[in-house]
Amino acid sequence: MEFRLIERIRARTMQGREDVRLGIGDDAAVLAVPVGQELVAAIDSMVEGVHFPVGTASADIGWKSLAVNLSDLAAMGAMPAWALLALTLPQAEPAFIEGFTEGFAELAQSYRLALVGGDTTRGALTVSVAVHGFVPPGQALTRSAAQPGDVIFVTGTLGDAAAGLHCLQANVQSSAHGDYLIGRLNRPTPRVQAGMALRDMAHACIDVSDGLLADLGHICVASGVGAEIDASLLPYSSAMLGLFDDVSARDFALGGGDDYELCFTVPAARAADTQANLARLGCGGTRIGRIVEGQGVRVRDAQGHWLDAVRRGWEHFSV
Amino acid sequence: MEFRLIERIRARTMQGREDVRLGIGDDAAVLAVPVGQELVAAIDSMVEGVHFPVGTASADIGWKSLAVNLSDLAAMGAMPAWALLALTLPQAEPAFIEGFTEGFAELAQSYRLALVGGDTTRGALTVSVAVHGFVPPGQALTRSAAQPGDVIFVTGTLGDAAAGLHCLQANVQSSAHGDYLIGRLNRPTPRVQAGMALRDMAHACIDVSDGLLADLGHICVASGVGAEIDASLLPYSSAMLGLFDDVSARDFALGGGDDYELCFTVPAARAADTQANLARLGCGGTRIGRIVEGQGVRVRDAQGHWLDAVRRGWEHFSV
């Protein structure tokens, strides 16, 4: 079934990109990276029951399998171009395939992304996507460039996906707020435009896939610095605040994963500019703390007390 | 476990490639395609129980998961450069990981291939590898360039992997011949050097992954031509001839998959040169038939009679 299924999905993604010299239908794709650009590449897998609950709509699986990869490109400041898709399915069920195709293609189209290769195999539901994008030489954002004195920002709002998963798992009564949070879990928005805009503003950048503490911890380790967060500055959606108290919201934001917002650091002198630029992009950017000498991530409450990560159950997220 | 495992494998593949600007450890790799080269990219998955028998040694799984992808690059005439690895495992068993790493790295090293990204997830054993290589602009080999009058060649010997699988499944008594065939199944040799050498000799090219009839059928469809094969010319290993009669060997060669030899077509005037070049490369090349006007693949026996694909059980391989 390899070509038929992959070809069906391809037909719904971007057609006629000039940099695709030979697309699906041969042993491999032939591609042309634009002159003067570096290639940025990542691969991520999603497994049913691990990365999305059993019963997730296939359109959401298609969307999310691409979104989590585009989020990796966003964290590098790269412009998306091409994807390869390896899809393992228990059986070739038409409704599943139609839904998957729709979700994958909808997101691909908004970035002019072309599906240039793929493979379908039979087995437990697993989706691996490799994405490729471009960045001007030397301008890729990394985890390792944070400096003491930098201001720490995040895009969007935090904790929504973890709160959405809680709504699903605890069978919280259906509501507009709950639907919003579940939508944030199932259809995350990769912050591609923000990542590209940050190329000449940010020092370090990462996407929040494992939770803010864990991912900011990665920046700290890679950069050889520490970080201080003011919990009172964490940005929440109105759905979050409508359904959960402050303490729950804070726990979702700090420890929960799957948000796919960007966490990045900028020199203090650029902080106001950065905020204005991100506001123009629509996703917004919120200052949540600062980079300091030392190591590790510490969180301070509104009264200025340091929170105890161990007691709060975040210790397995600390680095 | 993502970074530790992927980092361990990376440490055993090629280090210090200049075209890897940023390797494993960030959200994505940053890569530089050499000026004046096109990028060739493919992805393939292997699922336990589908692409390799349950109980296959993990070193063989590591080797084969990369080999089948390098074979796709070989079929395009590309030089391998980088790989991304998505590994789904039921548990992080040290012996499995050590073996997988060894097999993957052994093959990677022989092509100076760098592992530049990866993802590990928990689930049913599934290995997806995306490979990237380079080819001079316009020189990629394709399935669609065969012309009537071309001579059809294959590298190496055919049917060994299918015969090896038969030995495994039928519990054929262990022997040097049987071990050789099982080795061909578990550790296929991607014909990378042959593929690169064929860039300016071959018209069409494909790797034999689904069986000669099926794969040559793909060339015929893509090129709008037919093909005639002389069964008496099919190249067999001495292990095959030592264990199986001619009819079984022919069935393995025509219908069996997993050989990862190259099947390609060259203008008749270049056939002698081609044969000499492939002999120098060590894998050898054998003329097995010719491209004709029309469509489909026909097979003729030593007496000149056309074989009946339906009666022989190959009909599901025909196109």
Side-chain angles (χ1 to χ4, degrees):
Chain A
M1 63 181 174
E2 175 166 345
F3 274 4
R4 284 195 301 274
L5 173 51
I6 295 293
E7 170 56 30
R8 271 178 68 176
I9 302 176
R10 182 203 67 80
R12 301 266 294 273
T13 67
M14 178 70 190
Q15 307 298 313
R17 280 185 71 106
E18 266 193 22
D19 52 21
V20 179
R21 299 294 154 84
L22 183 65
I24 286 164
D26 218 293
D27 288 287
V30 182
L31 306 162
V33 174
V35 174
Q37 297 280 303
E38 288 178 338
L39 180 70
V40 180
I43 193 167
D44 262 312
S45 298
M46 297 205 329
V47 177
E48 183 176 46
V50 180
H51 301 89
F52 52 88
V54 174
T56 299
S58 59
D60 291 340
I61 298 170
W63 173 287
K64 191 169 180 176
S65 66
L66 180 56
V68 302
N69 279 281
L70 291 177
S71 182
D72 282 329
L73 293 186
M76 306 298 288
M79 172 185 284
W82 314 309
L84 303 168
L85 167 64
L87 186 53
T88 304
L89 292 171
Q91 66 266 325
E93 202 190 294
F96 180 94
I97 291 168
E98 179 57 29
F100 183 93
T101 301
E102 189 185 308
F104 188 96
E106 185 182 346
L107 184 58
Q109 282 161 4
S110 50
Y111 294 105
R112 303 184 63 253
L113 186 100
L115 184 67
V116 296
D119 186 28
T120 52
T121 51
R122 206 165 292 268
L125 181 53
T126 307
V127 190
S128 295
V129 177
V131 286
H132 301 81
F134 311 138
V135 74
Q139 291 191 34
L141 299 169
T142 66
R143 301 176 176 186
S144 56
Q147 294 179 17
D150 280 1
V151 173
I152 303 168
F153 274 85
V154 290
T155 59
T157 56
L158 293 178
D160 293 332
L165 184 61
H166 174 86
C167 290
L168 277 179
Q169 288 175 337
N171 266 316
V172 171
Q173 201 187 341
S174 175
S175 69
H177 284 335
D179 290 350
Y180 175 83
L181 296 173
I182 293 168
R184 290 271 288 162
L185 171 70
N186 288 333
R187 296 225 172 191
T189 304
R191 298 302 187 187
V192 171
Q193 279 78 14
M196 290 170 62
L198 288 171
R199 279 180 200 157
D200 54 5
M201 288 188 268
H203 277 160
C205 187
I206 195 169
D207 70 325
V208 181
S209 53
D210 299 332
L212 180 66
L213 285 185
D215 290 309
L216 182 54
H218 291 144
I219 285 185
C220 288
V221 169
S223 300
V225 297
E228 295 177 357
I229 294 175
D230 287 307
S232 60
L233 300 179
L234 294 171
Y236 302 122
S237 64
S238 47
M240 174 77 89
L241 295 174
L243 283 185
F244 297 97
D245 63 24
D246 277 6
V247 173
S248 300
R250 188 176 66 191
D251 286 357
F252 285 134
L254 293 172
D258 263 3
D259 279 326
Y260 302 102
E261 298 294 345
L262 297 181
C263 173
F264 56 96
T265 80
V266 298
R270 307 287 312 268
D273 277 3
T274 300
Q275 203 146 17
N277 278 331
L278 289 172
R280 272 196 295 275
L281 288 173
C283 63
T286 305
R287 299 170 63 143
I288 59 167
R290 66 209 64 77
I291 296 294
V292 296
E293 307 270 358
Q295 59 182 16
V297 182
R298 298 201 300 169
V299 182
R300 181 160 48 197
D301 69 15
Q303 288 71 45
H305 301 124
W306 296 108
L307 298 175
D308 182 344
V310 174
R311 204 160 56 88
R312 299 233 36 98
W314 306 322
E315 81 284 3
H316 57 292
F317 298 113
S318 65
V319 181
Chain B
M1 61 180 176
E2 174 167 344
F3 274 4
R4 285 195 301 274
L5 173 51
I6 295 292
E7 170 56 31
R8 272 177 68 175
I9 302 177
R10 182 203 66 82
R12 301 267 294 273
T13 67
M14 178 69 191
Q15 307 299 312
R17 280 186 71 107
E18 264 192 24
D19 52 21
V20 179
R21 298 293 156 83
L22 184 64
I24 286 165
D26 219 295
D27 288 288
V30 182
L31 306 161
V33 174
V35 174
Q37 298 279 304
E38 288 178 340
L39 180 70
V40 179
I43 193 167
D44 260 313
S45 299
M46 298 205 327
V47 178
E48 184 176 44
V50 179
H51 301 90
F52 52 88
V54 174
T56 300
S58 59
D60 291 341
I61 297 170
W63 172 288
K64 191 169 180 176
S65 66
L66 180 56
V68 303
N69 279 282
L70 291 177
S71 182
D72 283 328
L73 292 187
M76 306 299 287
M79 172 186 284
W82 314 308
L84 304 168
L85 167 64
L87 185 54
T88 304
L89 292 171
Q91 66 267 325
E93 203 189 292
F96 181 93
I97 291 168
E98 178 55 31
F100 183 92
T101 300
E102 189 186 308
F104 188 96
E106 185 182 343
L107 184 59
Q109 282 160 5
S110 50
Y111 294 104
R112 303 184 66 253
L113 185 101
L115 184 67
V116 297
D119 186 28
T120 53
T121 50
R122 208 165 289 269
L125 182 53
T126 307
V127 190
S128 295
V129 177
V131 286
H132 302 80
F134 311 137
V135 74
Q139 291 192 34
L141 298 169
T142 66
R143 301 177 175 185
S144 55
Q147 295 179 16
D150 281 0
V151 174
I152 303 168
F153 274 86
V154 290
T155 59
T157 57
L158 293 178
D160 293 332
L165 184 62
H166 174 85
C167 290
L168 276 180
Q169 288 176 338
N171 265 316
V172 170
Q173 201 187 341
S174 174
S175 69
H177 284 337
D179 290 349
Y180 174 84
L181 297 173
I182 292 168
R184 290 270 289 163
L185 172 70
N186 287 334
R187 295 224 170 191
T189 304
R191 298 302 187 186
V192 171
Q193 279 78 14
M196 290 169 62
L198 288 171
R199 279 178 199 159
D200 54 5
M201 289 189 267
H203 275 162
C205 187
I206 195 170
D207 71 324
V208 180
S209 52
D210 298 333
L212 180 66
L213 285 185
D215 291 308
L216 183 54
H218 291 144
I219 285 184
C220 288
V221 169
S223 300
V225 297
E228 295 177 356
I229 294 175
D230 287 308
S232 59
L233 299 180
L234 294 171
Y236 302 122
S237 64
S238 46
M240 174 77 89
L241 296 173
L243 283 185
F244 297 96
D245 63 23
D246 278 6
V247 173
S248 299
R250 189 177 66 193
D251 286 357
F252 285 133
L254 293 172
D258 264 3
D259 280 325
Y260 301 103
E261 298 294 345
L262 297 180
C263 174
F264 56 95
T265 81
V266 298
R270 306 289 312 267
D273 278 2
T274 301
Q275 203 145 16
N277 279 329
L278 289 172
R280 272 197 294 277
L281 287 173
C283 64
T286 305
R287 300 171 62 143
I288 59 167
R290 66 207 65 74
I291 296 294
V292 296
E293 308 269 359
Q295 59 182 15
V297 182
R298 297 201 300 169
V299 183
R300 175 158 56 193
D301 69 13
Q303 287 73 45
H305 301 124
W306 296 109
L307 298 174
D308 182 343
V310 175
R311 203 159 56 85
R312 300 236 31 101
W314 305 322
E315 80 284 2
H316 56 292
F317 299 111
S318 63
V319 180

